[in-house]
Amino acid sequence: MNHSKPSLLDIQLQVLGALMLRDIRTRFGRTIWGNAVVVLWPTAHVMVLVAMMSVRSMPAPIGESLVLFIFTGMAPMIVFIYLSRKMMEGVIMNRPLLSFPDVKFFDICLSRAIAEVLNLAASVAITMLILVAIGVDPIPERPATAISALCGAFLVALGIGFMNANIVVFFPPYNIGYALVIIILYGLSGVFFVPDGMPQELYQAFLWNPMTNAIMWFRSAYYPGYGEDASPLYVLMSGGLLLLVGLIWEKTLTKRAL
């Protein structure tokens, strides 16, 4: 019987599948309830913040629904926060596996990214179903724009995730310090307010933040005429550049350090 040698692609796919399965089993156990927690955790994150803002009875800066306004800010930010952080945590958890010849640093980052994208897609869908249940219509007027904006947020998160994964190899305490970065980004990205309502000089400074542009881009799918200053090209170029820097860093410095 002729046994052909597995191709590099076959080995790559097997490694990614094994890493994803290991992450699923180690993070919240082997039961279906544990996997449900992984998906529902970001949903709970969004809904708690929506509830906190709604209790304050603040008027919506745009449109008539404060809940919808918060959701349109949180959806891209949740994608960014969880993906960029979980890729870093994946390297911390799976670093011992790098002793196996077929497991590479890139495989660990990519497997965690794929797993998180699937989880986040489910989380956003569940959040939208919950909004429907409470009487809020979460369907955008321009679905293609909303999906494109989420993809842009994903690309920025992927780039930052690779950067974080490299940093934590050289400086492990950064894993804890990144929580402060997330808090700052909450305040500077326009999740709970509209940046264009600020003084012009400050507004222009906010536009240097790719996530501010991503959130405005996403909201433009819901609010016609809003987000004209947002630059989808800037979001994509920023994410692509961060990803390129992260990959070069991995090939030149991190690979040697490991």
Side-chain angles (χ1 to χ4, degrees):
M1 184 178 295
N2 182 24
H3 296 282
S4 59
K5 185 179 180 179
S7 66
L8 292 177
L9 179 59
D10 291 333
I11 295 174
Q12 180 82 34
L13 293 176
Q14 290 173 7
V15 169
L16 290 175
L19 288 172
M20 291 173 63
L21 185 60
R22 182 181 186 276
D23 280 342
I24 292 172
R25 289 180 174 178
T26 56
R27 287 169 64 187
F28 286 98
R30 297 170 178 264
T31 67
I32 188 173
W33 302 111
N35 295 330
V37 170
V38 176
V39 174
L40 293 176
W41 199 263
T43 298
H45 187 165
V46 175
M47 297 310 301
V48 167
L49 288 173
V50 166
M52 289 174 58
M53 299 300 293
S54 298
V55 167
R56 298 176 62 183
S57 301
M58 296 173 57
I62 311 174
E64 300 178 355
S65 172
L66 178 63
V67 173
L68 183 62
F69 176 77
I70 298 301
F71 167 74
T72 55
M74 284 299 302
M77 184 56 72
I78 283 293
V79 169
F80 173 82
I81 289 173
Y82 277 82
L83 182 56
S84 62
R85 183 164 57 90
K86 294 299 182 181
M87 286 177 66
M88 175 174 56
E89 292 177 356
V91 171
I92 297 172
M93 291 175 57
N94 296 312
R95 186 167 179 172
L97 298 181
L98 293 172
S99 58
F100 294 96
D102 290 333
V103 180
K104 304 294 189 296
F105 178 87
F106 177 82
D107 298 328
I108 292 176
C109 292
L110 184 59
S111 65
R112 180 55 70 96
I114 294 172
E116 285 305 315
V117 167
L118 296 176
N119 291 336
L120 289 168
S123 297
V124 171
I126 292 172
T127 303
M128 294 178 74
L129 289 175
I130 293 174
L131 293 183
V132 171
I134 63 176
V136 177
D137 182 11
I139 307 301
E141 294 191 14
R142 296 187 293 170
T145 299
I147 294 173
S148 299
L150 288 179
C151 289
F154 160 74
L155 182 60
V156 174
L158 188 64
I160 293 291
F162 266 103
M163 296 287 288
N164 287 346
N166 283 294
I167 293 172
V168 82
V169 169
F170 295 92
F171 186 61
Y174 177 73
N175 179 43
I176 300 174
Y178 188 62
L180 178 60
V181 176
I182 290 174
I183 293 173
I184 293 174
L185 282 174
Y186 264 125
L188 299 180
S189 297
V191 175
F192 305 113
F193 61 92
V194 285
D196 47 342
M198 308 186 73
Q200 188 63 24
E201 295 79 7
L202 194 56
Y203 175 48
Q204 292 300 321
F206 269 71
L207 289 178
W208 284 100
N209 179 358
M211 286 309 301
T212 298
N213 285 267
I215 291 173
M216 293 175 65
W217 183 9
F218 185 74
R219 279 182 171 149
S220 70
Y222 287 83
Y223 305 106
Y226 177 76
E228 294 180 355
D229 292 336
S231 174
L233 180 61
Y234 179 67
V235 175
L236 299 176
M237 289 182 63
S238 299
L241 180 60
L242 288 166
L243 180 58
L244 179 61
V245 171
L247 292 174
I248 293 175
W249 187 347
E250 185 269 330
K251 292 296 182 183
T252 56
L253 297 176
T254 305
K255 189 175 182 179
R256 296 179 181 176
L258 293 172

